[in-house]
Amino acid sequence: MPPATATTPSEIKFDTTAAVQRLVRFLGINAITGHEAPIGKELVAALKEVGVPAKAISFDDAHTRIPEPTPIGNLIVKLPGTGKKSAKPILFMTHMDTVPLCAGAKPKVVGKRVVNELEGTTALGGDNRTGCAVLVTLAAELIKQNLPHPPITMLFTVREESGLFGAKHLNPADLSGPTVGFNFDGRRAADVITGAIGADRWTVDIRGKAAHAGVAPEKGISATMVLALAMAEVHAGGWFGKVVKDGREGTSNVGWVGTTDGKSAGDATNVVTDFVHVKGESRSHDAKFVRDITAAFKAAFTNAVSKVKDHEGRTAKVKFTSRLDYVPFRLKPDAPVIKLAEAAVRAIGLEPNLRVTNGGLDANWMVKHGIPTVTFGAGQNEIHTVKEFVDLTEFESGCRLALALATAE
């Protein structure tokens, strides 16, 4: 028999039962962001089970460059081309970690959904074990059906949920030169995400001076008051929440107020708070505007320092630190990767919906690395909540889409 090809919806077939079993298997692995070793081990085992040679599977050293503790690097799988010799390499990718809320999830299939037996207590982890199952299913079907395909690199990144670190610290040379990338991380297979927002993350350390708040408050320097005055300034200036300035748009937020070791700021109501650690973010599709929003927060904290003094005129000290979290991108509508994506979505009987997102994706860094990358969904729903579930109809569409992309002529 000649090798099978995939050109129409009816011809794109795969073992749906095995794919769903694979998904449930991965959902049951407790491996949140920063603790990816168990899911990395399970992915390697699953890839070998479907026929991927051990020599084609490796972990990179990105974890040695990630500033947060990370046990393993990105998982990279390379499948040699079996089609035309002139075919250019392509990349399929996803992330292997989940948010901490997923710890201890127990998946079960109910009709055309995978739900959590512990509904109401943990999230499920469809973000992004759906992507993991799609990629392993792609490898399984390419091998089992002997489907012709170009050289394929599969990438399973670490620490996506805690800052896109795996993709950021990837060495692009480890991927063997893919010309386009397809990232599976979302809800609907027909949604083709062609652009995403950029973001800064920033921290502020405010060091004041403790004093008895009832006996001699004037001898203290309240770090809490410095925070309050700074936040009042950014709010009054229109830099907090949804930010619109001269036709440019973005967002900002403060997400953590406490100490560096996770405790509450301040020790007691009768003690002037001497230290506050603040974490926040700035986002925009305009890279310069991201920096402008961050600069507004830095200026507000600097200004607030001079307004809070002790009885001798001394002020608090503020250390403001920011870092680029990820860069925004927007691919042109006629980019080859988008044309390939649109054709593949239509090949599985759906109509492509091109859109941009206000969330960060590993694709942000892949584009920065020089690999034009679009993102699709594979059944995620109510992610990062205790109501999370996976829509198996969309998951199966995601698997078909991956096959259509890999076997397109």
Side-chain angles (χ1 to χ4, degrees):
M1 279 181 69
T5 59
T7 56
T8 67
S10 61
E11 293 175 338
I12 302 174
K13 300 181 183 297
F14 69 102
D15 188 339
T16 57
T17 300
V20 172
Q21 290 175 344
R22 206 170 279 129
L23 171 62
V24 173
R25 172 182 176 180
F26 296 156
L27 287 168
I29 302 298
N30 188 5
I32 64 173
T33 189
H35 301 271
E36 290 89 349
I39 186 61
K41 180 180 180 181
E42 199 71 18
L43 286 167
V44 169
L47 287 161
K48 290 179 179 178
E49 288 166 13
V50 302
V52 178
K55 64 181 181 180
I57 305 170
S58 64
F59 289 91
D60 72 4
D61 63 350
H63 61 303
T64 65
R65 295 184 290 278
I66 294 174
E68 304 290 341
T70 310
I72 59 174
N74 301 307
L75 174 60
I76 298 175
V77 181
K78 296 180 181 179
L79 305 179
T82 61
K84 297 177 180 178
K85 291 184 178 180
S86 60
K88 296 180 180 179
I90 60 177
L91 173 72
F92 286 88
M93 65 179 295
T94 191
H95 65 88
M96 68 173 85
D97 60 323
T98 63
V99 293
L101 186 61
C102 298
K106 295 187 180 299
K108 67 176 181 179
V109 177
V110 178
K112 291 297 290 182
R113 288 186 175 187
V114 182
V115 301
N116 189 0
E117 287 186 15
L118 303 176
E119 183 180 0
T121 59
T122 76
L124 179 61
D127 178 14
N128 195 8
R129 301 294 161 74
T130 52
C132 293
V134 166
L135 264 61
V136 177
T137 296
L138 173 60
E141 297 298 333
L142 290 177
I143 294 169
K144 183 173 70 173
Q145 297 187 48
N146 191 28
L147 297 171
H149 61 82
I152 289 175
T153 298
M154 294 185 177
L155 171 65
F156 302 80
T157 63
V158 295
R159 273 202 178 272
E160 190 268 359
E161 295 290 3
S162 46
L164 310 182
F165 286 120
K168 179 178 181 179
H169 293 284
L170 170 82
N171 180 354
D174 290 339
L175 302 180
S176 299
T179 56
V180 293
F182 304 112
N183 182 36
F184 283 81
D185 187 8
R187 188 168 70 90
R188 297 181 64 247
D191 286 344
V192 184
I193 299 177
T194 62
I197 208 161
D200 279 352
R201 294 200 187 198
W202 45 263
T203 62
V204 189
D205 288 334
I206 309 170
R207 297 188 181 277
K209 187 176 71 170
H212 195 297
V215 176
E218 72 281 2
K219 294 183 179 180
I221 304 172
S222 173
T224 307
M225 183 52 66
V226 173
L227 168 64
L229 290 172
M231 293 304 298
E233 180 176 322
V234 294
H235 184 268
W239 293 103
F240 185 77
K242 184 174 182 179
V243 184
V244 180
K245 300 280 185 181
D246 301 323
R248 299 181 298 168
E249 294 188 7
T251 64
S252 71
N253 189 50
V254 168
W256 172 263
V257 176
T259 63
T260 54
D261 57 359
K263 297 179 181 178
S264 172
D267 297 318
T269 59
N270 62 353
V271 179
V272 175
T273 303
D274 64 349
F275 180 78
V276 176
H277 179 68
V278 186
K279 295 180 181 180
E281 69 168 28
S282 311
R283 296 188 182 205
S284 177
H285 287 279
D286 181 328
K288 184 178 182 301
F289 197 47
V290 173
R291 296 191 294 272
D292 290 345
I293 296 171
T294 300
F297 274 85
K298 183 177 182 179
F301 279 99
T302 301
N303 294 338
V305 166
S306 64
K307 300 175 183 178
V308 183
K309 302 177 181 180
D310 68 5
H311 66 299
E312 295 177 331
R314 289 177 292 193
T315 64
K317 294 182 179 179
V318 168
K319 180 181 179 182
F320 188 99
T321 304
S322 65
R323 64 170 170 83
L324 173 66
D325 210 20
Y326 41 88
V327 291
F329 79 96
R330 188 167 300 191
L331 300 173
K332 294 181 179 180
D334 61 350
V337 68
I338 294 179
K339 297 303 181 185
L340 290 170
E342 290 177 313
V345 171
R346 292 191 176 101
I348 65 169
L350 301 175
E351 186 60 28
N353 173 35
L354 272 58
R355 52 185 292 265
V356 297
T357 179
N358 287 332
L361 298 164
D362 276 342
N364 290 64
W365 282 109
M366 303 316 294
V367 173
K368 180 68 174 178
H369 291 322
I371 305 170
T373 301
V374 295
T375 300
F376 311 93
Q380 300 175 11
N381 279 271
E382 302 286 350
I383 63 170
H384 301 188
T385 77
V386 296
K387 296 181 179 180
E388 186 183 4
F389 67 93
V390 175
D391 180 331
L392 290 177
T393 299
E394 284 294 340
F395 169 68
E396 292 167 10
S397 291
C399 291
R400 287 192 177 87
L401 178 61
L403 281 163
L405 289 163
T407 58
E409 296 181 355

